[in-house]
């Protein structure tokens, strides 16, 4: 019976340990996490995940180095956040008007019966898209073109190029970010 009693920590004792740990390490962990992620909201999400994982432990008293454990879990959560990063697409550029929503990609793929004004706008987008693609490093440009214009999956591209899928995802993301920046003016024109 004594062994079972040692394994189960009273709830009030656990709450005191958690409260004291949050007080002692909250600011330090935020300072550790914040420079490693994109924005404060991501840092707060990660810190919340760390505290949730810490509070879910049943063996708090068995952790020898609480600070080391918290920093290790924080670092792992940061890595997990980057692993889960979604590949961005040009399709994410969406315009919504009273007739519904459509993306820049929708405009690029409009059929030839589009109005003359829309056709001119479509030609302008293609021109700007190719100019922006030409500014990219070859491997980023290739990843984008193969995926978006030739409809190959990122895994197919990785296999064909003998690259890791994460490398292809990263190249595509860099390309999309560049294209978003370069096509921002056209997008803003479309909204107005």
């Amino acid at each position: 019976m004594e062994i079972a009693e040692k394994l189960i920590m009273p709830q009030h004792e656990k709450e005191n340990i958690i409260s004291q740990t949050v007080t002692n390490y909250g600011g330090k962990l935020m300072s550790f996490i914040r420079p490693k992620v994109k924005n404060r909201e991501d840092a707060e999400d990660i810190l919340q995940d760390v505290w949730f994982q810490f509070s879910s432990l049943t063996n708090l008293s068995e952790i020898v180095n609480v600070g080391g454990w918290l920093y290790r879990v924080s670092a792992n959560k940061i890595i997990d956040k980057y692993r889960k990063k979604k590949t961005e697409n040009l399709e994410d550029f969406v315009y919504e008007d009273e007739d519904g929503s459509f993306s820049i990609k929708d405009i690029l793929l409009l059929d030839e019966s589009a109005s003359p004004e829309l056709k001119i706008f479509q030609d302008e987008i293609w021109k700007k898209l190719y100019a922006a693609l030409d500014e990219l490093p070859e491997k980023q440009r290739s990843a984008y073109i193969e995926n978006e214009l030739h409809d190959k999956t990122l895994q197919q591209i990785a296999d064909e190029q003998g690259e890791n899928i994460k490398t292809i995802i990263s190249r595509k993301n860099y390309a999309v970010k560049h294209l978003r920046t370069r096509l921002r003016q056209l997008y803003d024109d479309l909204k107005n």
Side-chain angles (χ1 to χ4, degrees):
M1 195 69 160
E2 287 180 19
I3 295 173
E5 288 174 5
K6 284 184 179 179
L7 292 176
I8 301 173
M9 178 184 291
Q11 186 63 30
H12 73 280
E13 188 178 331
K14 182 178 179 178
E15 289 171 0
N16 287 339
I17 291 173
I18 292 170
S19 176
Q20 190 61 45
T21 304
V22 169
T23 301
N24 292 342
Y25 289 97
K28 295 173 188 174
L29 286 175
M30 180 56 87
S31 295
F32 171 75
I33 296 167
R34 178 60 190 103
K36 295 168 180 63
V37 295
K38 195 166 42 170
N39 56 48
R40 183 161 184 83
E41 291 80 22
D42 288 347
E44 289 170 353
D45 288 346
I46 289 170
L47 186 57
Q48 182 178 0
D49 288 346
V50 171
W51 292 132
F52 178 77
Q53 186 170 338
F54 183 70
S55 67
S56 298
L57 293 174
T58 56
N59 59 347
L60 286 177
S61 60
E62 294 179 15
I63 298 175
V64 177
N65 182 347
V66 173
W69 186 92
L70 290 169
Y71 282 98
R72 186 176 65 244
V73 170
S74 297
N76 290 340
K77 297 284 182 189
I78 293 166
I79 291 168
D80 289 347
K81 179 120 183 111
Y82 283 108
R83 284 184 181 151
K84 292 178 185 174
K85 198 175 191 180
K86 179 179 150 291
T87 302
E88 297 185 62
N89 294 312
L90 197 57
E91 294 169 348
D92 295 339
F93 253 149
V94 175
Y95 170 72
E96 189 167 329
D97 64 8
E98 60 276 353
D99 298 329
S101 65
F102 56 92
S103 69
I104 287 194
K105 190 171 181 181
D106 292 337
I107 295 172
L108 291 174
L109 301 176
L110 286 174
D111 62 32
E112 297 300 318
S113 64
S115 71
E117 296 83 18
L118 199 49
K119 182 74 174 122
I120 291 170
F121 190 68
Q122 182 183 30
D123 292 342
E124 185 66 20
I125 291 174
W126 276 112
K127 188 171 110 182
K128 296 274 188 187
L129 176 65
Y130 281 120
L133 284 170
D134 285 342
E135 296 169 355
L136 289 169
E138 174 57 36
K139 291 181 178 183
Q140 290 176 16
R141 178 175 50 246
S142 173
Y144 180 84
I145 290 173
E146 292 297 312
N147 181 245
E148 290 291 326
L149 302 179
H150 297 155
D151 292 323
K152 290 184 181 177
T153 66
L154 295 173
Q155 186 62 59
Q156 287 174 318
I157 299 166
D159 293 343
E160 288 173 3
Q161 295 180 5
E163 296 279 2
N164 182 310
I165 182 71
K166 291 178 185 176
T167 302
I168 300 302
I169 290 170
S170 178
R171 288 176 184 164
K172 165 99 185 287
N173 280 336
Y174 282 122
V176 169
K177 286 177 184 175
H178 175 75
L179 293 173
R180 280 185 170 185
T181 301
R182 298 291 283 127
L183 297 176
R184 170 67 59 192
Q185 184 60 48
L186 285 173
Y187 178 72
D188 290 342
D189 289 348
L190 182 61
K191 287 189 344 186
N192 297 331

